[in-house]
Amino acid sequence: MSDGPRILVVDDDEDIRILLRELLVRAGYRVEEAADGRAALRQLYETPPALVLLDVSMPELDGYQTLERIRDLSEVPVIMLTARTQELERVRGLASGADDYVSKPFGRQELLARIQALLRRSGGKSEVTESYRDAFVEIDYPQRRVVVGEREVQLTPLEFKLLSAFVQHPNQVLSRDQLLELVWGYATAVETNVVDVFVGYLRRKLEAGGEPRILKTVRGVGWALRT
């Protein structure tokens, strides 16, 4: 059995999974498979891969939704696979946090070259963040559960992503432009005041129980998470 890097193949089409498994095993990789996004996330928690091949069109959690959950947990390299060839689809995938985007049908040697290039750049790192805790906030990433003090806070997916951006940069002041890039991507949010609005939503939920100011405003610069 190969002891090469582990690759997680996520596609609801069994024929595609079989094709990719044969291609990758012959190239010396270990392969795990998932038929949908939820199964992929379970695999990610249990045995973090070195790289993910992620189909866009899947039932329940599609590729973009699955990618969003993956990015909450890990910076593992992700290549999105899709039959959609429109430029806007490629932009959406890259803005959502994908590292590369390959259209079906794909050239086998080209796909292997892209995988090798990403693994070289990443150094094979695949750490998964499962939880976070500081003096004010506790986060369970797999369950998307947020607790402030002893109070559970219900966040929308976008609010959760915004909180995650602050958590990944503790005590660092993040500007509107930085948050647009980290949370929305420039392609999907062109109004900078949307950041102010959603920081306000997040702050009200985090501080609704009378907790001290968790998100600190630095006038004229941005916001920082107080830890």
Side-chain angles (χ1 to χ4, degrees), residues 2 13 31 38 50 61 71 80 95 109 115 125 131 134 171 189 198 206 215 223:
S2 170
D13 186 328
V31 179
R38 297 189 190 284
L61 284 180
R71 283 291 169 256
M80 301 198 80
Q109 294 308 311
I115 289 171
K125 296 179 181 177
S131 63
D134 62 29
N171 294 312
F198 277 92
L206 294 178
L215 289 178
W223 303 267

Side-chain angles (χ1 to χ4, degrees), residues 10 14 67 71 108 136 176 202:
V10 189
E14 184 178 7
L67 176 61
R71 283 291 169 256
R108 299 186 181 195
F136 306 100
R176 290 176 179 84
L202 178 61

Side-chain angles (χ1 to χ4, degrees), residues 69-221:
R69 302 282 183 92
I70 289 173
R71 283 291 169 256
D72 286 340
L73 301 163
S74 173
E75 291 302 315
V76 61
V78 176
I79 298 178
M80 301 198 80
L81 303 175
T82 181
R84 304 172 187 174
T85 58
Q86 297 94 333
E87 183 179 1
L88 285 177
E89 291 293 335
R90 296 175 63 86
V91 170
R92 182 182 177 189
L94 296 171
S96 298
D99 297 276
D100 206 345
Y101 197 101
V102 176
S103 298
K104 300 176 183 177
F106 46 80
R108 299 186 181 195
Q109 294 308 311
E110 179 186 0
L111 179 60
L112 289 175
R114 288 172 183 258
I115 289 171
Q116 290 164 4
L118 276 180
L119 289 175
R120 281 197 303 270
R121 291 211 309 259
S122 70
K125 296 179 181 177
S126 58
E127 295 91 348
V128 172
T129 302
E130 294 199 16
S131 63
Y132 169 86
R133 182 197 294 266
D134 62 29
F136 306 100
V137 178
E138 180 180 349
I139 303 174
D140 180 334
Y141 279 98
Q143 299 299 320
R144 287 203 163 196
R145 183 171 181 264
V146 177
V147 176
V148 179
E150 297 183 356
R151 175 177 58 91
E152 185 168 352
V153 179
Q154 300 297 325
L155 299 182
T156 66
L158 196 148
E159 290 165 350
F160 187 90
K161 191 172 182 181
L162 181 59
L163 176 60
S164 295
F166 282 114
V167 161
Q168 290 162 11
H169 302 82
N171 294 312
Q172 177 182 334
V173 180
L174 297 177
S175 68
R176 290 176 179 84
D177 285 347
Q178 287 173 307
L179 288 170
L180 278 174
E181 183 175 3
L182 290 167
V183 179
W184 285 270
Y186 286 111
T188 56
V190 294
E191 298 289 339
T192 56
N193 66 350
V194 75
V195 179
D196 301 65
V197 170
F198 277 92
V199 168
Y201 291 159
L202 178 61
R203 170 175 280 156
R204 283 194 289 274
K205 290 187 177 182
L206 294 178
E207 300 168 6
E211 282 80 7
R213 183 55 60 92
I214 295 172
L215 289 178
K216 178 174 63 177
T217 300
V218 180
R219 293 192 179 279
V221 182

